Amino acid sequence: MEATTDQQPGTRRTSYLTVNIEPLPPVVAGDAVTLKCNFKTDGRMREIVWYRVTDGGTIKQKIFTFDAMFSTNFSHMESYRRREDLVYQSTVRLPEVRVSDNGPYECHVGIYDRATREKVVLASGNIFLNVMAPPTSIEVVAADTPAPFSRYQAQNFTLVCIVSGGKPAPTVYFKRDGEPIDAVPLLEPLAASSGPLQDSRPFRSLLHRDLDDTKVQRSLSLLDAETRGGRPSTERPSRSLTPDPSSVIQPTTESIPETVVSREFPRWVHSSEPVYFLRHSHTPGSDGTVEVRALLTWTLNPQIDNEALFSCEVKHPALSMPMQAEVTLVAPKGPKIMMTPSRARVGDTVRILVHGFQNEVFPEPMFTWTRVGSRLLDGSAEFDGKELVLERVPAELNGSMYRCMAQNPLGSTDTHTRLIVFENPNIPRGTEDSNGSASGPAGVRLTLVLALTVVLELT
């Protein structure tokens, strides 16, 4: 910017002043930044003021001031003489720039006019400091989980990649088994529908994910077993075990072989490449960063998608290389059952918990407990949850078998455990009710003793 005063004939030449701030490329948060204000004049310096502009230009925060009348420190300026001109440079250094420093800055310069010393010539320059911030976190989760395994109807599945802390918003995309996914972009969320997703693009055969013959044969064998009216052998309870007080201590549970992973694939499963749909959403943060969510949706094919590796990758100008997060879609297998106490007695509260699997499972499975051949202790047919709690177990539960079904959209598996209930020496045989509580003559004697004690205290 140049500022001059009007010059009248016969008067002294007025001073001139030009001001400009050197442009800066976008900078990364944490870097040191130097703002440089260059100005050229033939007048005498009066003052230099730097402002940071906020709230859309309505507020100007003064960050540096140099007043020639009261300061003899010229260390912040560099000058050299060229003909009759003086060229100055004023610098302001931000040692560790932050996202909050993003915005416009102004450099205001004032000089004394050569024609009249009472007049000050003013000029200014401005620059917009663009501060970038790389994303700070990336995570891949499954939407609408936990969810059951669907044997006879196709279901849609969605992976959500959450990227936080970036400015500007990063570019987010998905890969499958290391190959970029060609997805159909969406501007609006998909309508809730149980039907498979389709588009008008030409059919493409899935060549890089051949069918596993072992899985197919296993599926057919399970399907044949059901059509013959049979069930996997592990769903049938074994013979009951009666504890012998004189024998050595036995474990509370009996390990039962696991049921083969259920994957009876219906006719809707096709060995073709699925159609992927991708939608992005942006949520601005109070600190100027943006949270990006990328939603990848397709019709799940458990026969092909099981053990498929999906990765979410992020590109950002503040990153030297892409960020990445990976998940592998895996059906549950081999639930590990833990029961406490390890030696259950009549009247104890027994907890049966699934505390892991033989493999890494994704997405999170859901758990359903049932009692083989009967209802649960509270009278319900089944219980949903990772832990089954049996309060005050009675002797009648000795030898009862419990089935836990773990499932996610990729498949399901069953495992069984048998409860062994030992006698409680504190509860005489035959005196406990169905909930394991003491009753009968012993309970009556206890009531009479308490009543007698109260009467004696009153007398």
Side-chain angles (χ1 to χ4, degrees), residues 140-156:
V140 179
V141 298
D144 304 322
T145 55
F149 172 61
S150 177
R151 290 180 175 85
Y152 307 110
Q153 184 178 10
Q155 61 177 335
N156 299 332

Side-chain angles (χ1 to χ4, degrees), residues 219-361:
S219 307
L220 294 177
S221 64
L222 289 173
L223 189 59
D224 291 341
E226 284 201 353
T227 55
R228 293 194 301 267
R231 301 177 68 187
S233 59
T234 56
E235 294 189 6
R236 297 180 179 177
S238 304
R239 59 184 181 84
S240 60
L241 300 178
T242 302
D244 184 3
S246 62
S247 62
V248 297
I249 297 179
Q250 302 178 22
T252 303
T253 61
E254 174 190 2
S255 298
I256 308 297
E258 178 197 359
T259 303
V260 178
V261 174
S262 300
R263 232 177 257 121
E264 300 86 352
F265 301 107
R267 294 182 179 180
W268 54 262
V269 174
H270 302 286
S271 58
S272 62
E273 186 174 0
V275 178
Y276 295 97
F277 294 86
L278 183 62
R279 184 174 69 89
H280 292 88
S281 66
H282 297 74
T283 305
S286 59
D287 58 352
T289 61
V290 181
E291 180 187 89
V292 178
R293 294 191 174 218
L295 291 81
L296 183 71
T297 303
W298 75 100
T299 301
L300 193 69
N301 186 336
Q303 193 175 12
I304 294 177
D305 292 332
N306 189 52
E307 299 182 359
L309 174 65
F310 285 84
S311 61
C312 171
E313 295 193 3
V314 174
K315 287 186 177 180
H316 192 274
L319 293 173
S320 58
M321 59 185 301
M323 291 179 65
Q324 178 177 297
E326 296 180 343
V327 293
T328 301
L329 305 186
V330 181
K333 180 180 180 182
K336 299 177 182 179
I337 304 298
M338 179 178 67
M339 182 178 293
T340 54
S342 59
R343 180 182 171 89
R345 300 185 300 180
V346 173
D348 288 347
T349 295
V350 177
R351 301 178 181 272
I352 311 176
L353 172 68
V354 179
H355 68 101
F357 294 88
Q358 294 179 0
N359 59 342
E360 293 290 335
V361 179

Side-chain angles (χ1 to χ4, degrees), residues 12-33:
R12 296 180 60 185
R13 184 172 63 89
T14 59
S15 298
Y16 71 91
L17 173 65
T18 59
V19 178
N20 68 82
I21 301 181
E22 293 185 10
L24 280 176
V27 297
V28 180
D31 291 350
V33 176

Side-chain angles (χ1 to χ4, degrees), residues 65-198:
T65 300
F66 169 77
D67 192 329
M69 294 183 62
F70 303 101
S71 175
T72 58
N73 181 14
F74 290 86
S75 61
H76 68 288
M77 295 193 303
E78 298 175 5
S79 65
Y80 59 90
R81 181 171 295 279
R82 181 185 300 170
R83 298 176 184 173
E84 296 182 353
D85 301 334
L86 286 178
V87 178
Y88 297 89
Q89 184 181 80
S90 174
T91 59
V92 172
R93 187 173 184 270
L94 306 177
E96 190 172 338
V97 70
R98 298 172 294 180
V99 175
S100 58
D101 295 325
N102 187 86
Y105 290 78
E106 293 182 356
C107 173
H108 292 246
V109 179
I111 63 168
Y112 289 110
D113 187 8
R114 295 179 62 180
T116 169
R117 294 300 179 91
E118 290 78 18
K119 186 174 182 180
V120 176
V121 179
L122 301 176
S124 65
N126 60 79
I127 187 176
F128 190 94
L129 180 61
N130 186 3
V131 182
M132 302 185 302
T136 55
S137 66
I138 179 173
E139 179 186 17
V140 179
V141 298
D144 304 322
T145 55
F149 172 61
S150 177
R151 290 180 175 85
Y152 307 110
Q153 184 178 10
Q155 61 177 335
N156 299 332
F157 185 76
T158 299
L159 285 177
V160 183
C161 182
I162 306 173
V163 183
S164 304
K167 178 188 176 297
T171 301
V172 184
Y173 56 95
F174 282 90
K175 289 184 178 181
R176 172 171 176 157
D177 296 327
E179 297 294 330
I181 294 177
D182 181 16
V184 179
L186 292 177
L187 299 179
E188 299 294 334
L190 288 169
S193 172
S194 59
L197 301 175
Q198 298 179 352

